[in-house]
Amino acid sequence: MKNILLLGAGRVTKPLVDYLLNHPKFFLLIASRTLSKAEALIENHPNGKAVQINVQDDKALEELVSEADIVISLLPYTYHVKVAKLCLKHNVNLVTSSYVSKEMRQLNYEAIDKGLLFLNEVGLDPGIDHMSAMKIIDEVTQNDGSIKSFKSLCGGLPAPEANDNPFGYKFSWSPRGVLLASRNDAHYLMNGEEIKIEGKDLFENYWTTKVESIGELE
């Protein structure tokens, strides 16, 4: 049986927890600052256990990581590199839902040398959007079709008639997280042209400034 350590018990965790608990070859340990949240997710399931931890407690965190086969970190992104370094120390695989930071990228070759999986960007965006895009594209090409255009819109993009704030965005998650993510540059293809938008200009380039209606995107 594989030991899985899940760090964090926030709102995004329940579907993952339900899946892992019902897999006969997994034992899930959920570590959270708020023990009651982790216990509510486990619901006395025999394949799971909840523990309380403060991730600032380096010794306690390292002990939990060292006993796992894989760590799933759903902590705030600022803690991922700390967890990753412990995973490297104890030869443990790692999954996170966050963008790859420069600090995380620097650990790539060490993880490869150790034969470890460090899988990042598997949340909603990025993550599910990438995977669903490739599923659609692969199905089309396998059936001798071709892709003329593919657009993926995700997150808090409002309908044009509801776009009534300077950001052109509706906060569907942490406002601080949105603003930090907006510091990343945008880089995509549009009609065969490579488009780059610096993070500082990101909120000046939302859809409704470019078109009068969604129909004109097609």
Side-chain angles (χ1 to χ4, degrees):
M1 181 172 281
K2 297 294 185 181
N3 292 316
I4 301 173
L5 172 62
L6 173 60
L7 297 173
R11 294 182 179 180
V12 302
T13 57
K14 183 169 176 52
L16 171 66
V17 169
D18 289 345
Y19 171 79
L20 294 176
L21 287 177
N22 289 294
H23 195 293
K25 295 184 179 181
F26 296 158
F27 183 83
L28 177 63
L29 180 66
I30 305 179
S32 173
R33 180 180 60 183
T34 307
L35 182 60
S36 59
K37 289 183 178 180
E39 290 175 332
L41 290 168
I42 295 292
E43 293 183 324
N44 296 316
H45 197 288
N47 289 343
K49 180 182 177 181
V51 296
Q52 187 173 35
I53 188 174
N54 184 332
V55 294
Q56 304 288 359
D57 186 337
D58 295 344
K59 183 178 179 181
L61 179 62
E62 182 171 359
E63 183 177 349
L64 291 180
V65 170
S66 68
E67 297 173 351
D69 293 299
I70 186 168
V71 174
I72 303 172
S73 179
L74 296 181
L75 298 169
Y77 79 96
T78 51
Y79 294 107
H80 290 332
V81 172
K82 177 180 182 178
V83 174
K85 289 180 178 178
L86 290 175
C87 286
L88 286 172
K89 181 178 179 179
H90 295 282
N91 295 313
V92 177
N93 299 296
L94 173 67
V95 175
T96 84
S97 61
S98 300
Y99 290 98
V100 178
S101 65
K102 291 180 181 178
E103 294 80 5
M104 181 67 78
R105 196 180 304 278
Q106 290 172 353
L107 305 177
N108 180 53
Y109 290 111
E110 188 175 352
I112 291 173
D113 289 342
K114 288 177 172 287
L116 297 175
L117 172 68
F118 274 25
L119 182 61
N120 297 276
E121 301 192 2
V122 285
L124 170 59
D125 173 20
I128 292 175
D129 54 345
H130 296 335
M131 292 182 282
S132 60
M134 290 312 304
K135 180 177 184 295
I136 295 168
I137 291 169
D138 287 344
E139 287 176 352
V140 171
T141 55
Q142 286 168 8
N143 286 281
D144 299 322
S146 61
I147 304 295
K148 293 183 177 180
S149 176
F150 186 90
K151 300 182 180 73
S152 176
L153 305 182
C154 181
L157 295 174
E161 64 273 12
N163 195 345
D164 55 4
N165 67 73
F167 288 116
Y169 190 93
K170 298 292 186 180
F171 292 109
S172 57
W173 53 296
S174 162
R176 182 176 183 272
V178 171
L179 295 176
L180 286 173
S182 74
R183 295 165 62 186
N184 296 326
D185 298 339
H187 187 191
Y188 58 95
L189 288 173
M190 176 68 75
N191 299 323
E193 180 185 358
E194 189 174 356
I195 307 294
K196 292 183 179 180
I197 300 173
E198 294 185 37
K200 65 183 180 64
D201 299 322
L202 203 61
F203 280 117
E204 296 179 7
N205 288 271
Y206 52 85
W207 285 114
T208 50
T209 64
K210 301 295 185 182
V211 295
E212 293 181 357
S213 69
I214 291 297
E216 293 188 26
L217 291 175
E218 300 302 326

